[in-house]
Amino acid sequence: MYPRQFEYSAPASLDEALAALANNPAAKVMSGGMSLIPMMKLRLFSPAVVVDIGKIGGLDSIEDRGDHLAIGALVRHVATANSPLVQQYAAALAKAASLTGDPQVRNQGTTCGAIAHADLAADQTAAVLALGATMVAKSTGGTREIAAADFFVDTLTCALQPDEILVELLVPKAGAGEGSAYTKLGRRGGESDYAVAGAAAWVRKTNGSVDAARVALTGVGSKAVLAAAVGDALVGSDGSATAIEAASAHAAEGVNVLEDLHGSVEYKTHLAKVYVQRALTAALT
Amino acid sequence: MEVSLTVNGQAVTSEVEARTLLVHLLRENLGLTGTHVGCETGYCGACTVHVDGTPVKSCTMLAAQVEGAEVTTVEGLANGELHPVQEGFWERHGLQCGYCTPGMIMTAAGMLADNDNPSEDEIRHGIEGNLCRCTGYHNIVRAIEYAAAKMRGDEPAAPDWEVV
Ligand SMILES: Cc1cc2nc3c(=O)[nH]c(=O)nc-3n(C[C@H](O)[C@H](O)[C@H](O)COP(=O)(O)OP(=O)(O)OC[C@H]3O[C@@H](n4cnc5c(N)ncnc54)[C@H](O)[C@@H]3O)c2cc1C
Ligand code: FES
Ligand code: FES
């Protein structure tokens, strides 16, 4: 299976890559290629120009910047998953990265690539929503920050413009009383492969009561979405098993659940509740 | 376009198209047919090779992406004698038709390079990106356990089949 012909460039610097995108409206960014190459082989998508950012130095670090972590464009899933910083301060993202694809996919694909790809059943998309992360996009015109809540537009569509590169992801660091978690049912059973349904949860507890919570779902609709009603129901409670169960009942409220090859609306609605409950339970322990 | 890289320790330069996949560079341009093509969609892992020491799926990488890299295929794994993983597959009957075997071996070699004492669960998750249609995985897991023991300098566990 060969993709259609295209022109390939692998700029050595970010500025050259941004210029290449600005000069070619038909160009597409490639980071790990773990989603782009399969789509091109299936000829679902045939860009005339591929700008491979994989050779650009300095984009592969995870930095502690005080109140948040910065994850560079070329940080692979395996590095996100194994990073002690991400595990400690953004547990939901480390877990979601560890459950993305399989070992070879995690060695090559990037966290930022998975977010830019915006697959409706991706893992790390839900994690960045629940964690309230911010995407930093660059073009020759400048830099802008996009909140996770505004980033996912539709299936395989995010807020990035064609000439923009997602250069880093900023994730707030969990402080005292805060915890996060991600869990899913994979298409191959257990937690393997894309999510039939998955949930990420972030919770903050102060003086024994939940004063903030954010929950996101993946796999159940056209994109990763915030399940706002769950957070609203949990805030003010003691975060007990009973409170979690009651809040989880709201998982699909206001969410456009869609049927696909992997399950009916009824089944996905049920899974949303189950996985929200599990994610909240893990985030609170 | 031309790509230059190191394959199994040898410097090579080859003429490719931008769309040439790494697996085709290896098999068709360089004649290294040990790396197999199973699904071509990124799922089966038969095409697994090491790029700069890391297992990746060569059907889902462009040849152009490995410019300057060091690639190891199953042909380059033995170093005068069989790699412990190759020996394990031999000793513990880790294959039937052999189609998945080169990919399984490259994945297992990468896994054991990071951790030579994996649990059975870690081994099973470690080969999650490799499909085998014959063995049911049992003997593949035993073969990898054999190799891990060898790499630690331990005596591998006795085979778990009955000799009749
Ligand atoms: C066998 C297999 C199993 C998989 N299983 C899972 C799974 O279980 N869960 C899951 O979530 N994903 C899974 N994936 C998908 C995959 O891991 C990620 O979507 C993929 O890694 C995307 O990252 P990438 O770096 O490879 O991006 P690429 O494939 O290079 O790019 C993907 C898209 O994002 C754009 N893009 C990439 N990086 C940037 C950037 N920095 N700035 C702007 N745009 C960018 C590209 O233009 C393209 O449209 C699987 C993939 C395979 C092949
Ligand atoms: S041939 Fe590459 S994963 Fe199947
Ligand atoms: S031995 Fe036949 S596919 Fe694995």
Side-chain angles (χ1 to χ4, degrees):
Chain A
M1 267 197 298
Y2 272 74
R4 288 208 173 87
Q5 302 271 10
F6 58 89
E7 207 181 290
Y8 172 88
S9 73
S13 72
L14 190 58
D15 285 343
E16 286 169 70
L18 293 172
L21 291 175
N23 295 335
N24 294 294
K28 194 75 182 154
V29 180
M30 178 168 86
S31 48
M34 294 310 291
S35 294
L36 185 61
I37 295 174
M39 286 198 305
M40 288 171 62
K41 285 167 69 177
L42 293 168
R43 304 198 175 191
L44 294 173
F45 186 61
S46 299
V49 179
V50 170
V51 177
D52 179 1
I53 62 170
K55 307 276 183 204
I56 301 174
L59 295 179
D60 61 351
S61 63
I62 299 177
E63 286 172 22
D64 186 338
R65 299 207 188 137
D67 63 352
H68 64 270
L69 301 178
I71 298 179
L74 293 178
V75 172
R76 314 273 174 197
H77 304 312
V78 64
T80 302
N82 292 343
S83 157
L85 281 174
V86 184
Q87 289 172 354
Q88 182 180 351
Y89 294 114
L93 183 62
K95 190 68 194 290
S98 79
L99 297 178
T100 298
D102 56 51
Q104 295 97 311
V105 169
R106 292 192 287 275
N107 286 339
Q108 180 63 24
T110 65
T111 286
C112 285
I115 289 162
H117 186 54
D119 193 287
L120 67 88
D123 300 296
Q124 293 167 86
T125 50
V128 295
L129 273 174
L131 291 165
T134 301
M135 318 308 152
V136 181
K138 264 197 176 167
S139 69
T140 49
T143 304
R144 65 183 180 124
E145 296 195 350
I146 310 163
D150 302 324
F151 192 77
F152 302 106
V153 176
D154 204 346
T155 307
L156 303 185
T157 308
C158 69
L160 292 173
Q161 295 300 311
D163 64 343
E164 283 181 319
I165 295 179
L166 173 54
V167 290
E168 61 185 8
L169 163 68
L170 308 178
V171 192
K173 278 164 66 180
E178 297 176 20
S180 71
Y182 175 74
T183 171
K184 70 167 166 179
L185 172 66
R187 289 179 185 168
R188 285 206 276 155
E191 295 184 308
S192 286
D193 209 344
Y194 285 101
V196 176
W202 169 87
V203 185
R204 186 174 67 209
K205 239 177 141 178
T206 311
N207 299 327
S209 94
V210 174
D211 70 348
R214 234 179 351 249
V215 171
L217 293 168
T218 186
V220 302
S222 66
K223 57 174 187 170
V225 284
L226 283 167
V230 179
D232 294 346
L234 197 67
V235 169
S237 79
D238 59 358
S240 63
T242 320
I244 289 174
E245 193 179 349
S248 305
H250 299 278
E253 220 173 281
V255 175
N256 189 13
V257 178
L258 298 173
E259 175 183 73
D260 64 15
L261 283 175
H262 309 283
S264 62
V265 170
E266 191 189 3
Y267 179 55
K268 295 223 173 199
T269 304
H270 171 72
L271 289 179
K273 293 177 192 165
V274 171
Y275 283 87
V276 164
Q277 187 173 353
R278 291 183 187 178
L280 283 172
T281 306
L284 277 158
T285 43
Chain B
M1 60 188 289
E2 264 191 356
V3 284
S4 297
L5 64 157
T6 306
V7 179
N8 299 331
Q10 283 201 306
V12 296
T13 296
S14 193
E15 183 64 32
V16 296
E17 288 183 84
R19 61 177 177 169
T20 304
L21 300 163
L22 173 57
V23 71
H24 297 311
L25 165 68
L26 295 170
R27 289 178 56 89
E28 287 154 28
N29 297 23
L30 305 177
L32 293 168
T33 54
T35 302
H36 290 172
V37 181
C39 65
E40 284 204 272
T41 60
Y43 272 92
C44 78
C47 64
T48 302
V49 301
H50 294 184
V51 172
D52 295 328
T54 305
V56 292
K57 292 176 174 173
S58 63
C59 76
T60 309
M61 259 188 120
L62 304 175
Q65 281 175 283
V66 297
E67 169 70 35
E70 274 188 39
V71 174
T72 306
T73 69
V74 71
E75 289 94 339
L77 203 56
N79 180 11
E81 50 190 81
L82 292 182
H83 184 281
V85 175
Q86 292 172 308
E87 188 185 319
F89 272 69
W90 176 295
E91 291 293 338
R92 289 297 176 266
H93 194 56
L95 60 141
Q96 288 178 22
C97 79
Y99 204 92
C100 69
T101 311
M104 283 286 181
I105 287 178
M106 296 312 287
T107 300
M111 174 187 354
L112 297 181
D114 292 338
N115 172 13
D116 66 8
N117 200 6
S119 63
E120 172 161 351
D121 201 48
E122 286 171 328
I123 293 176
R124 288 186 181 272
H125 281 293
I127 56 172
E128 216 168 86
N130 294 74
L131 301 179
C132 175
R133 305 204 61 176
C134 304
T135 64
Y137 302 97
H138 182 85
N139 283 359
I140 292 176
V141 174
R142 296 294 170 259
I144 297 170
E145 286 173 342
Y146 176 103
K150 278 274 170 150
M151 288 168 73
R152 298 192 302 269
D154 292 347
E155 187 59 34
D160 60 2
W161 55 69
E162 253 179 72
V163 181
V164 286

